[in-house]
Amino acid sequence: MKKIWTAGLASVMVVGLLAGCGSDKTDDTKKTTDTNASTDTTSNTSTTDDTKKSDPVNLRLYTYGTEEAYNWKKTLTAYQDSHPGVTIELVQLSEKGDTQEATKKLDLAAASSEQIDILMFSDAAAYAQRVALGMAAPLDDYITKDGYKVEEDYKVDTHLNGKVYALPGKFNPWYVLLNKDHLDEAGLTVPTDWTWDDYADYAKKLTKGEGATKRYGTYFHGPQNGGWMEYLKLKMENQPQGSEFLKADGSSNLDDPNFKATLELRVKMEKEDKSSVPYSDMISQKLAYRNQFFNQSASMLTIGSWMNTEIGGTDKVPLTFHVAVAPFPKNNASDPTGLTPVTTDYVAVSDTSKHKEEAYQFVRWYTTEGQVVQGKNIPAWNGVNSDQVASIIDTILSGTKNPELVDKASLVDTLVKSKASQIIAPASYQAEVYKAINEEYEKLILDKQDIDTTVANAKKRVDEIIAANKK
C-alpha cells in the first residue's frame, strides 16, 4: 500500500504544484521541521493499537485551519484535559488558511513518510482523491462499535463507495440572504419553506426601477469560467441524490429533468421577468456578489453560509439595512425542506497512523462536542440543538459591525433545517465537464441557442469528455 500511496501522491503533487502556482505562498518550513523533530521521541512510545491505555500517545493533526478560524488552542486543550495521556500535536500547513498550499504540503508530508495521525480535507474532491490513494483509513468498524450512523448523526453523509473515511466538522450550507427592508416595502414575509417558483415570484415583486439605477430582485454569481457552477444546478442540488452533473458511476447526469428546469428558471428570471441581474453584466462588469447585495442593487442573494461572519457588516462592506435569511428553495412544495449545497471539513484518520483507535476517538469528539467547544462554526453534528446554534451565531455575529440589523431567528432556523445531499466523488476531469457546460450555458443566455439545444450540446460534450478519459 505504501508504494501505491507514494507513487499516486507523486502524480497528485504535480497537479497540486500546477494548481497552486497562482496562490500566495507562506514559508512554514521551520514549523514543519520543528514538528518533525518531535516525531522521533513520540513515535516509539507506542507501535500498535493494542498499547496499554495508560501509555502516553501523541497524535499529529495536519490541518489548513488557522488559529483565528478554528480556535485550536482552546479546542485541543479541552480534549487533552478530558483525555489524560493523549496529546494532540498541531501541524498547521498554511498560516493563512490557503487550502491549495496546505494540500500540497500534506501530500509532500505523506510522500516523505512523516507521522500523520489525523487529516483534514477542505472539500469533497480532496477527500475523494486521497481516499482513492489510500491515505485515509475506513472508520466503519469504529462507527458500528459506537452504535450510530453517519447519515443520522450528521447533516453531511460522508460515505464513499459504501464506506466512511471521514466525519464532517463544520457545516456551511447555502441559503438565501434577504433585504428585509425591501421585503417589508413589497409586503412580503420572510420565507421559512419555499419553492423556486416562490423565489422567482419574490424576485419579480422586489424588482424596481429601470436603467442604471434599477434594483433587481436577485443576483446569481455564476457560472463563470467553469466556476460557481452551483448556479447551474439550482434544481438538482436540493435533491437527496443526483445533485451533480455526473452520476456516481461516472456517467452523465445531464438528462436529469432538473438540469433543464434550472436552465428554464434562469432564462425566465433574466429574459422574461427581468428580475435577475443580466449574465452579460456580471461577466463584462466583473460584478462582486457582496457589493450587489450590500449596496442594495439586488434584494436577494443565494450564497454559502460562509457569509455568517459578514452579514452583520464589515469595515469593507458595511450593512445599512435589515437582513433576514431563508432556506435554499425546493422544487415542489411536497419535497423535503433543507436539502442544499454544503461545504464542510472532512476529518479523517491516516491509514499509516499507529494509533488509529485514539485518532478515531479524537475525530469523533472533535466533530461532535469539539465543534461546540471550538465555537467558530455551525457543526455538522445533529446533536447540537437550536439554543447551542443560537449561541454560536451570537459569537459569530458579535464580530460584525451591526449584528442588531440581522434577523438572528431566521438565520438559526435556516441553519438548523439545512442538510446535505449525498456526496458524489468528483471525477479527475471534473473541470473539463464544468467548462463545457458553462460554455453551452453562455450560448443560451446570450441568445445564441435555445434550451433544448443547450441540453443536447452539453450532454454530447460531456459524454465525449467521459469517453476520452476512459481510454
Side-chain angles (χ1 to χ4, degrees):
M1 173 61 74
K2 184 176 178 181
K3 290 181 180 178
I4 295 174
W5 181 354
T6 305
L9 279 170
S11 63
V12 170
M13 281 156 40
V14 171
V15 175
L17 287 166
L18 292 173
C21 287
S23 61
D24 294 333
K25 299 292 187 292
T26 298
D27 182 9
D28 50 0
T29 303
K30 183 178 183 301
K31 181 177 292 185
T32 304
T33 303
D34 291 343
T35 53
N36 286 346
S38 66
T39 304
D40 294 338
T41 60
T42 58
S43 60
N44 292 328
T45 302
S46 172
T47 57
T48 71
D49 285 333
D50 297 327
T51 304
K52 294 178 181 179
K53 297 298 182 183
S54 58
D55 290 344
V57 173
N58 183 69
L59 301 175
R60 304 187 83 213
L61 165 60
Y62 281 64
T63 179
Y64 46 83
T66 63
E67 174 62 28
E68 181 181 21
Y70 282 81
N71 218 352
W72 286 122
K73 291 178 183 176
K74 176 185 177 183
T75 306
L76 299 185
T77 297
Y79 186 77
Q80 290 167 165
D81 287 348
S82 60
H83 293 76
V86 179
T87 57
I88 310 295
E89 181 183 348
L90 190 70
V91 182
Q92 287 182 289
L93 297 166
S94 174
E95 292 186 356
K96 58 185 178 298
D98 184 327
T99 56
Q100 284 191 341
E101 177 190 12
T103 300
K104 181 173 66 176
K105 289 185 177 180
L106 174 62
D107 289 344
L108 286 168
S112 301
S113 300
E114 292 183 19
Q115 178 196 337
I116 304 174
D117 298 290
I118 302 155
L119 317 92
M120 286 178 62
F121 305 116
S122 63
D123 57 73
Y127 169 47
Q129 189 173 31
R130 280 150 190 83
V131 164
L133 290 170
M135 287 180 66
L139 305 180
D140 303 84
D141 289 346
Y142 302 115
I143 292 169
T144 299
K145 183 179 178 181
D146 280 354
Y148 66 93
K149 293 182 178 179
V150 170
E151 62 270 29
E152 294 176 358
D153 246 32
Y154 297 90
K155 296 177 185 294
V156 181
D157 185 350
T158 53
H159 278 86
L160 280 176
N161 302 317
K163 291 187 177 182
V164 175
Y165 296 89
L167 297 179
K170 68 183 180 184
F171 181 67
N172 277 344
W174 278 53
Y175 51 28
V176 180
L177 295 180
L178 305 159
N179 184 317
K180 193 171 184 300
D181 292 351
H182 290 176
L183 259 64
D184 291 343
E185 176 189 290
L188 299 170
T189 59
V190 176
T192 57
D193 187 18
W194 59 340
T195 66
W196 280 112
D197 286 343
D198 296 328
Y199 184 96
D201 183 57
Y202 266 56
K204 193 172 181 178
K205 291 175 178 176
L206 290 166
T207 299
K208 184 177 181 180
E210 293 293 338
T213 60
K214 180 176 180 177
R215 185 186 82 197
Y216 288 91
T218 195
Y219 172 73
F220 294 115
H221 192 60
Q224 48 180 303
N225 301 316
W228 293 98
M229 296 300 286
E230 291 88 354
Y231 294 102
L232 280 188
K233 297 184 290 181
L234 297 174
K235 290 198 170 189
M236 300 171 72
E237 291 163 321
N238 56 18
Q239 301 300 300
Q241 297 177 327
S243 61
E244 254 293 352
F245 295 130
L246 299 179
K247 297 178 183 177
D249 63 5
S251 61
S252 169
N253 195 31
L254 297 185
D255 53 0
D256 185 334
N258 289 324
F259 172 57
K260 181 179 179 180
T262 299
L263 299 180
E264 290 172 337
L265 175 72
R266 292 293 305 272
V267 169
K268 176 182 185 297
M269 293 184 69
E270 178 173 332
K271 304 294 184 179
E272 297 176 26
D273 298 346
K274 301 187 185 303
S275 61
S276 66
V277 177
Y279 182 83
S280 58
D281 287 0
M282 180 196 76
I283 297 298
S284 63
Q285 299 176 32
K286 297 181 180 179
L287 298 177
Y289 63 83
R290 289 176 177 85
N291 293 341
Q292 287 295 296
F293 183 71
F294 287 103
N295 290 350
Q296 303 193 66
S297 298
S299 301
M300 301 191 298
L301 175 67
T302 303
I303 198 69
S305 57
W306 57 78
M307 290 298 293
N308 288 346
T309 59
E310 300 179 46
I311 58 176
T314 63
D315 287 331
K316 291 183 178 179
V317 188
L319 176 64
T320 58
F321 54 92
H322 293 86
V323 172
V325 182
F328 198 76
K330 308 185 297 187
N331 295 348
N332 306 294
S334 59
D335 290 347
T337 301
L339 281 165
T340 179
V342 167
T343 57
T344 187
D345 293 324
Y346 298 86
V347 192
V349 172
S350 170
D351 193 57
T352 60
S353 174
K354 295 179 180 179
H355 306 290
K356 290 186 177 67
E357 171 73 36
E358 292 86 351
Y360 163 75
Q361 292 300 333
F362 172 78
V363 169
R364 174 62 172 165
W365 177 88
Y366 173 73
T367 59
T368 54
E369 301 169 51
Q371 290 294 292
V372 179
V373 172
Q374 198 169 58
K376 284 287 187 178
N377 298 288
I378 302 303
W381 182 41
N382 281 322
V384 178
N385 61 40
S386 297
D387 289 341
Q388 289 171 305
V389 172
S391 177
I392 294 171
I393 287 298
D394 280 338
T395 301
I396 293 172
L397 291 180
S398 67
T400 65
K401 291 295 183 180
N402 296 100
E404 74 281 358
L405 294 178
V406 178
D407 182 349
K408 191 184 79 172
S410 67
L411 173 58
V412 171
D413 182 61
T414 295
L415 293 171
V416 170
K417 285 180 179 177
S418 299
K419 52 192 172 185
S421 55
Q422 182 186 45
I423 293 175
I424 297 176
S428 60
Y429 47 87
Q430 196 94 357
E432 295 178 65
V433 170
Y434 286 170
K435 183 174 182 291
I437 296 172
N438 194 153
E439 289 172 353
E440 294 304 320
Y441 173 74
E442 285 196 354
K443 295 174 188 175
L444 166 68
I445 208 67
L446 298 178
D447 301 317
K448 295 180 180 178
Q449 64 188 20
D450 61 24
I451 289 176
D452 288 334
T453 303
T454 300
V455 172
N457 287 351
K459 188 173 188 314
K460 181 175 182 292
R461 290 182 64 180
V462 168
D463 285 341
E464 289 171 349
I465 292 169
I466 294 170
N469 280 275
K470 284 183 177 179
K471 294 178 180 178

